[in-house]
Amino acid sequence: MNKIPDDFVAQPRPTADSITKEKSIRSHSAAGLLSIPKNGLGFGGSGLDTDDEAFASSFQITAAKVPAMDKEGRKVIGQMMDE
């Protein structure tokens, strides 16, 4: 059975804002793209969320072209490959 250890400490959200200055490597114009929120990991919600809610949408994978993700400012950081 899976159980969180008693000494487990959740990681806080990062405080560095350097990622906000970085551009996405490409637009969300294809399926299989891996993206993160515009302000980085831990900032996937409104900014007033609990840590669990803030990290909930940290990584998203596109199933098709999703231009709305570009408007949200999400950053593409990779692409899933199938060989």
Side-chain angles (χ1 to χ4, degrees):
M1 310 286 174
N2 292 332
K3 181 181 183 287
I4 297 173
D6 294 332
D7 61 347
F8 176 79
V9 178
Q11 297 295 308
R13 292 180 226 186
T15 56
D17 67 341
S18 62
I19 192 152
T20 59
K21 297 175 180 89
E22 290 185 33
K23 302 244 187 239
S24 180
I25 59 173
R26 64 175 291 174
S27 65
H28 291 83
S29 59
L33 301 176
L34 179 64
S35 71
I36 61 171
K38 66 180 175 183
N39 294 327
L41 299 180
F43 295 94
S46 66
L48 304 173
D49 308 309
T50 66
D51 284 345
D52 285 342
E53 293 167 330
F55 284 100
S57 65
S58 289
F59 294 100
Q60 292 185 2
I61 301 172
T62 59
K65 179 168 92 169
V66 188
M69 292 176 111
D70 295 323
K71 291 178 183 156
E72 293 171 16
R74 292 191 66 87
K75 296 175 180 3
V76 175
I77 61 168
Q79 183 173 9
M80 308 302 283
M81 302 299 288
D82 183 21
E83 291 188 25

